[in-house]
Amino acid sequence: PALIWKNYTAQLVGKVRVADRAGTRVQLNPLDQHRYPFMFVVDDETGLMLKMVVSGAQGQVLEKFHYVAVEYGPVEKQELLPHISDYKVMQHLPSAGEDDIADSQKHLWQLNWIPSGFVQEKAKMRAWHGSAPGQQVYMYADGLAAFSVFIEPAEAGTGSETSSQNGSTSAVSRYVNHNGLTFLVTVVGEIPIMTAKQIALSVEPAA
C-alpha cells in the first residue's frame, strides 16, 4: 500500500450504487504517463471493492470489473478455519550445480530503464540446454500495476519487434544478439504500450 501513495494521488468523486449496494467512488490518478488511472467503487458498509475501471490516457475504458449482485450472510468463525484431513511436507533439494548455474547467470542481463516507482519483486534464473545461457524472468510492481520481463534463447533469424495490447495488458517482444546467440526479450504487463517498448529497448547484456 505504501508504494501506491508514492505513485498515485487519490480523490473521492462521489457516491454511486453498484449491485444494489451504496458505494463511494475513489479515483487514483498516476503521477506520470507510465501507468494507468484506476477508479474503484468501495462498498460503504463492508469496504468490499464493488467495481474497478482501468482507463487509458484519453479516458477510454481499457478494463472493467464489477459485481452485478452481492449478498451477505452470517458467517460462523468455524467456517473460516482451514480443514486439512491429509497433508504431506515437501522439501526441494537443488540438483548438483544448480546454485552455480544461478550464480553464474545472475548478472547476465541488465535493464537500463524502468519507470520510476516500480520495485523488483523477483528474479528467476534457470539453465537452458545445459551450458547455454539461462532463461531469466524479472518482475516489477508499483502497488497496483505490474509487469514482467522474460528473456529466453531463441532460434537464430531475422526477428523483428512485435507489440500488442489486450485491454490494459501490453506485450512487446524484440530479439537481442549476444555472444553469437539470439535471445527473445518480452515485456508483458498492465502498463501503456509505449512504456513497455521503452523497457524492452533498455534490456541488454550486462557489461
Side-chain angles (χ1 to χ4, degrees):
L3 277 177
I4 295 176
W5 309 125
K6 293 181 179 179
N7 301 302
Y8 301 84
T9 59
Q11 180 182 8
L12 300 180
V13 290
K15 300 291 185 177
V16 68
R17 294 192 73 85
V18 175
D20 202 29
R21 301 284 303 179
T24 299
R25 286 188 294 184
V26 181
Q27 180 72 35
L28 294 184
N29 293 313
L31 297 178
D32 58 36
Q33 74 276 22
H34 298 301
R35 59 205 87 214
Y36 296 121
F38 289 78
M39 190 280 291
F40 299 95
V41 175
V42 181
D43 190 309
D44 287 340
E45 181 182 354
T46 66
L48 175 70
M49 184 184 72
L50 300 172
K51 182 177 181 178
M52 179 191 74
V53 177
V54 184
S55 303
Q58 307 304 319
Q60 72 276 26
V61 175
L62 299 176
E63 190 172 327
K64 180 168 64 174
F65 159 85
H66 69 277
Y67 286 103
V68 295
V70 176
E71 292 184 7
Y72 296 102
V75 178
E76 299 294 334
K77 289 184 178 181
Q78 287 296 119
E79 297 181 54
L80 301 178
L81 296 177
H83 298 280
I84 303 177
S85 58
D86 188 24
Y87 67 93
K88 182 184 296 184
V89 177
M90 305 294 290
Q91 182 178 7
H92 169 68
L93 297 177
S95 59
E98 183 175 303
D99 292 336
D100 294 337
I101 291 172
D103 290 340
S104 67
Q105 299 184 31
K106 192 172 296 183
H107 305 292
L108 181 61
W109 298 93
Q110 63 187 27
L111 278 66
N112 292 321
W113 181 84
I114 61 170
S116 174
F118 281 88
V119 176
Q120 186 172 356
E121 290 191 328
K122 185 184 296 183
K124 298 179 181 177
M125 283 78 76
R126 68 181 184 186
W128 189 280
H129 299 312
S131 60
Q135 183 185 42
Q136 296 190 354
V137 181
Y138 300 91
M139 304 170 67
Y140 293 84
D142 72 350
L144 276 180
F147 68 87
S148 300
V149 180
F150 301 88
I151 305 170
E152 57 186 325
E155 294 293 332
T158 56
S160 59
E161 179 184 300
T162 61
S163 61
S164 64
Q165 185 167 356
N166 183 10
S168 63
T169 301
S170 299
V172 175
S173 296
R174 61 183 286 258
Y175 291 88
V176 178
N177 294 316
H178 177 51
N179 289 340
L181 299 173
T182 301
F183 295 85
L184 178 62
V185 175
T186 302
V187 178
V188 180
E190 302 95 14
I191 52 178
I193 197 160
M194 294 306 297
T195 300
K197 288 182 178 181
Q198 194 169 345
I199 296 169
L201 289 172
S202 79
V203 178
E204 64 180 24

